[in-house]
Amino acid sequence: MRADKVFLWGLGCGLMLSLVSASAGELYMSPSGSGNQDGGSWQAALPYTGPESIEQAWEKLGPGDSLNLAAGEYPGGSITLKASGRGESDMRSIRGQVTDGAMPVFSGSWQRTDGQKGFTLFTVAAGSSWIGIENIAARNVRGFFSTATPGRVTGIRLRNIEVNGTRDAFVFRGGASAAKPESGSNDILVENVRVTGYTKRAFRIRDGVYNMTLTNCSADAGGKEWATEPFHMGFSVQGGSRGSGVYDHDITFVNCQSRHNYHDNGKNYWNADGFCAEGMAYNLTYIGCVASDNTDGGWDDKSENPLLVGCVAMRNKRDFRFWAKEPGALLYRCASLHPVKRGGNSSAVGLWTGGIVRLHKSTFIGQRPAFELSRYKASAEVEAALRAYLFDSVMACSDSNAADTRIVCENTAKLTLDQAAKIAPQLAEEATTDVGQLLDGVSADSGQGYHSSWRQEDYLAIGRKLQPLIQKEVRLLEAKPITLFGDKKPSGWYFSGWRNCRMVPVKNKGVDGSTAMAVMIKDQSKGGGATYRTKRAGADINLADRQAAVWDLTFKVNTNGNAALPIMAIKIYSLDKSQKTRELPLNGYVDASSSAWQQVSIPVKEFENGATFSTFAGFFIRATGSLQHPFLIDDVRLEPAAN
């Protein structure tokens, strides 16, 4: 079934569900209102006067109630929703009316060159539960839906939504911790959602989301015209930061499509993927999904234990790309068609792996080799473990593939590249989102290769029997030094300042000629501040996730030739607003007469102001006076104190 038909069918079902499930506690709103405008019916609809009118109506809803929006045009803005329920019967919802195929449409002025400017239409407050949004369209908004930092939401239902022109359309934050993985966002269903034209991500999942299903969702980035910042990803599963112990897991994609993700990086590597997953994720399942016309991977999946059933990748540089070690990735009834390199370095290939992959009843054909087992930056141990296993499959076989003993075949038909070249381009041209029976005739016999009968539900059960779900034990991280800055900053951290006091990175000024932080202060009689921090949940450091220890904030400083230092104080940040900290005088830790690098160590407990401090999100330095030369800081760490 074509994607547009699937979407319209789902839209119709969504409307029917809305009508059937109408409750007595409903409110009604239209662009201009009607009747006495008390909101009790369409004939007395509330008027939409801006985002605040929806928030005010939302606050009147009780468990199980909904706000119904008439089809029409609505000027967009930031709308925050908050609710608390015990189960799906308590769901509070915003439901759009569908009239002759038209829905409520929220519009903004965001353009594809605006980056992070503008608003996200719907933000769900952290800690909320049982909220639904359905039958809504949006255009030219920075984002359509986001869970506020840190996340920790339960029971989100998003159905029948169209977004056209956006940066990050949907952002789901988990807010889990290594010690409490169950605290992350969970029980999320996203159905019949289409995103067209985006500059960053269509669907972004991160920081401890679990038990989530996306069905009949499509992401069409728009290609080169929309590649205004690096770089497109259709569906992105990030997990927590590396080594955080925070995972996204047990996420399922059903009949989802991702296409036209684009990145032009000149002669260097071109990125942009259809489906992307990082290493801090596991138990991802893709059923009947299609990735096409992406400048890098159709799939670029670093997660543990991924399973693909009936998925098709075509006209991507690397149709499938997997990194996981044992048990690796498993593909059942999948197909790669005609991989295409559009620019930059690296090769086009049907499947690239830096780990282990197993293929059952799958077809890999094209003018390029079916497989590349990558030795790039691989340790001897990893290189020795590289394997591709094919069972009852069909593959386009280059001479190098045929000679590679790491590609193990059982009952697998091998086509020469010349043979495959006569088949693949035509199939890839004809196959858009519904491969249907096009590939059925490629198999050497009915027992080999991709077959359209993957649509039978039994194949998921077969796939998971071959690739069982895994579980990860709750385990506290080791209490060992944590680098916060050392030659470069970690992802999600940034520098800032105010009142002519700022912090910036400077090259070749750090310890051993590395990059250092530079605090710059000019004529500050009232006092200014320089900051190094993160506001991203998951990028902060949760000390409660680590084995019990007494922690010190340590760093090296260099007065850099300043004859005298101004009055300076230091304070630390937490994303947890309940954790208050106090300023400490920095001058007492620094010998202003020395021009050498000096070690500073401050117990974290010294910063505590009331409650025990457990989440570290950065620090700022407040200064009154001025500096002749930048004050240098390097090698910033959290370290367990010596016994």
Side-chain angles (χ1 to χ4, degrees):
M1 187 180 293
R2 288 177 53 189
D4 53 352
K5 292 182 180 178
V6 168
F7 182 81
L8 292 174
W9 174 83
L11 188 61
C13 290
L15 175 58
M16 292 173 62
L17 287 171
S18 296
L19 294 175
V20 170
S21 60
S23 66
E26 293 188 338
L27 289 175
Y28 298 83
M29 179 180 289
S30 66
S32 56
S34 58
N36 65 13
Q37 300 185 348
D38 66 5
S41 67
W42 288 122
Q43 292 72 34
L46 296 163
Y48 176 80
T49 57
E52 67 283 351
S53 61
I54 288 185
E55 292 180 343
Q56 291 165 5
W58 179 265
E59 291 175 358
K60 297 177 182 179
L61 300 179
D65 293 347
S66 62
L67 170 63
N68 297 278
L69 300 180
E73 298 288 331
Y74 295 78
S78 298
I79 300 168
T80 298
L81 306 177
K82 184 177 182 179
S84 178
R86 292 173 295 181
E88 195 150 6
S89 62
D90 289 344
M91 179 88 64
R92 292 170 172 84
S93 300
I94 293 178
R95 290 173 170 163
Q97 176 194 45
V98 182
T99 304
D100 297 328
M103 297 187 292
V105 179
F106 288 84
S107 59
S109 59
W110 183 91
Q111 298 296 316
R112 61 178 180 266
T113 57
D114 285 345
Q116 299 188 54
K117 297 178 182 177
F119 60 85
T120 293
L121 185 60
F122 293 105
T123 298
V124 170
S128 292
S129 57
W130 302 107
I131 291 175
I133 301 172
E134 64 180 76
N135 302 339
I136 301 290
R139 57 174 178 256
N140 301 328
V141 296
R142 185 192 67 192
F144 179 89
F145 176 90
S146 177
T147 53
T149 301
R152 298 172 188 165
V153 303
T154 299
I156 300 298
R157 302 290 186 265
L158 305 176
R159 296 184 172 100
N160 307 327
I161 294 168
E162 292 184 359
V163 184
N164 190 343
T166 185
R167 184 176 190 264
D168 283 299
F170 294 85
V171 180
F172 302 90
R173 296 180 176 87
S177 66
K180 295 182 178 180
E182 73 281 359
S183 66
S185 296
N186 66 92
D187 198 346
I188 299 171
L189 300 179
V190 184
E191 300 175 336
N192 303 323
V193 174
R194 178 160 48 196
V195 182
T196 306
Y198 51 89
T199 61
K200 203 70 176 174
R201 309 284 191 272
F203 300 88
R204 194 172 201 169
I205 302 164
R206 58 189 295 178
D207 302 325
V209 176
Y210 65 98
N211 290 351
M212 178 178 185
T213 300
L214 299 94
T215 302
N216 295 338
C217 295
S218 68
D220 189 332
K224 185 175 182 179
E225 182 182 4
W226 281 85
T228 57
E229 55 180 315
F231 34 77
H232 290 151
M233 296 289 175
F235 297 81
S236 174
V237 183
Q238 295 180 220
S241 58
R242 184 179 299 177
S244 65
V246 174
Y247 293 87
D248 295 335
H249 64 94
D250 294 278
I251 299 172
T252 301
F253 303 87
V254 183
N255 294 336
C256 294
Q257 300 90 35
S258 186
R259 60 182 69 88
H260 299 140
N261 294 283
Y262 191 92
H263 178 223
D264 186 337
N265 199 22
K267 295 181 180 180
N268 299 313
Y269 193 92
W270 289 28
N271 247 301
D273 303 313
F275 296 86
C276 177
E278 299 300 330
M280 301 301 289
Y282 66 92
N283 287 351
L284 304 188
T285 305
Y286 308 87
I287 305 170
C289 296
V290 179
S292 60
D293 300 296
N294 302 297
T295 55
D296 193 16
W299 271 261
D300 190 340
D301 191 311
K302 299 181 179 71
S303 72
E304 291 184 64
N305 205 48
L307 170 65
L308 287 75
V309 178
C311 293
V312 177
M314 53 193 174
R315 300 187 301 267
N316 310 284
K317 179 174 61 180
R318 290 169 171 173
D319 278 345
F320 295 97
R321 197 176 192 208
F322 298 104
W323 303 68
K325 313 304 183 289
E326 187 68 38
L330 189 137
L331 284 67
Y332 194 93
R333 293 289 196 197
C334 293
S336 162
L337 290 173
H338 196 40
V340 177
K341 177 180 176 179
R342 291 172 173 83
N345 59 26
S346 71
S347 57
V349 67
L351 187 148
W352 180 103
T353 183
I356 296 172
V357 63
R358 294 176 172 87
L359 294 89
H360 293 257
K361 301 182 185 297
S362 294
T363 298
F364 278 67
I365 58 174
Q367 294 170 297
R368 301 292 303 167
F371 298 101
E372 179 181 339
L373 277 64
S374 176
R375 295 182 171 92
Y376 180 68
K377 292 185 177 180
S379 66
E381 181 182 6
V382 169
E383 185 175 329
L386 287 171
R387 289 292 186 277
Y389 299 92
L390 288 84
F391 306 93
D392 305 313
S393 296
V394 178
M395 64 177 287
C397 191
S398 66
D399 292 341
S400 60
N401 284 168
D404 196 335
T405 58
R406 300 171 303 167
I407 300 176
V408 182
C409 298
E410 181 177 310
N411 192 32
T412 291
K414 299 179 181 180
L415 306 178
T416 67
L417 293 184
D418 287 341
Q419 289 173 323
K422 296 176 182 179
I423 302 172
Q426 179 183 354
L427 290 176
E429 183 66 29
E430 294 177 8
T432 53
T433 58
D434 187 357
V435 176
Q437 298 180 0
L438 287 170
L439 279 168
D440 294 353
V442 174
S443 303
D445 59 59
S446 60
Q448 291 175 290
Y450 172 92
H451 196 278
S452 57
S453 59
W454 65 263
R455 294 179 185 275
Q456 297 177 15
E457 293 183 3
D458 288 349
Y459 284 130
L460 175 59
I462 293 171
R464 273 298 170 208
K465 186 175 181 180
L466 294 168
Q467 184 89 335
L469 295 170
I470 62 174
Q471 290 185 331
K472 286 189 172 291
E473 297 179 1
V474 176
R475 183 179 301 173
L476 291 177
L477 304 175
E478 185 180 350
K480 61 181 181 180
I482 305 165
T483 298
L484 304 172
F485 181 90
D487 193 34
K488 61 181 181 179
K489 60 184 179 64
S491 175
W493 289 66
Y494 64 91
F495 302 100
S496 64
W498 68 96
R499 286 186 183 170
N500 287 330
C501 185
R502 59 196 178 104
M503 191 178 298
V504 298
V506 289
K507 294 183 178 180
N508 306 321
K509 293 292 186 179
V511 178
D512 299 326
S514 60
T515 298
M517 301 175 175
V519 178
M520 308 174 79
I521 311 168
K522 182 179 179 181
D523 302 328
Q524 274 309 304
S525 58
K526 296 182 179 180
T531 304
Y532 175 65
R533 68 173 305 176
T534 182
K535 290 186 178 180
R536 197 186 90 187
D540 61 330
I541 309 299
N542 191 344
L543 298 177
D545 285 343
R546 287 164 169 78
Q547 296 170 359
V550 176
W551 293 89
D552 293 338
L553 173 64
T554 70
F555 50 93
K556 293 182 174 68
V557 300
N558 192 317
T559 60
N560 196 26
N562 287 289
L565 296 177
I567 298 172
M568 303 171 73
I570 185 170
K571 182 178 180 179
I572 59 177
Y573 287 118
S574 171
L575 293 187
D576 184 348
K577 294 182 179 179
S578 69
Q579 294 184 344
K580 308 298 182 183
T581 61
R582 61 192 183 97
E583 291 185 8
L584 300 176
L586 182 60
N587 299 70
Y589 294 95
V590 179
D591 180 359
S593 65
S594 173
S595 59
W597 282 99
Q598 305 174 47
Q599 182 70 42
V600 174
S601 181
I602 307 175
V604 169
K605 291 182 66 67
E606 295 295 322
F607 292 101
E608 291 179 358
N609 186 5
T612 300
F613 180 86
S614 62
T615 61
F616 187 92
F619 64 90
F620 79 84
I621 294 175
R622 187 187 303 275
T624 303
S626 62
L627 283 170
Q628 184 179 3
H629 306 290
F631 181 82
L632 302 178
I633 302 175
D634 197 5
D635 197 18
V636 184
R637 298 170 182 262
L638 285 170
E639 295 192 1
N643 293 331

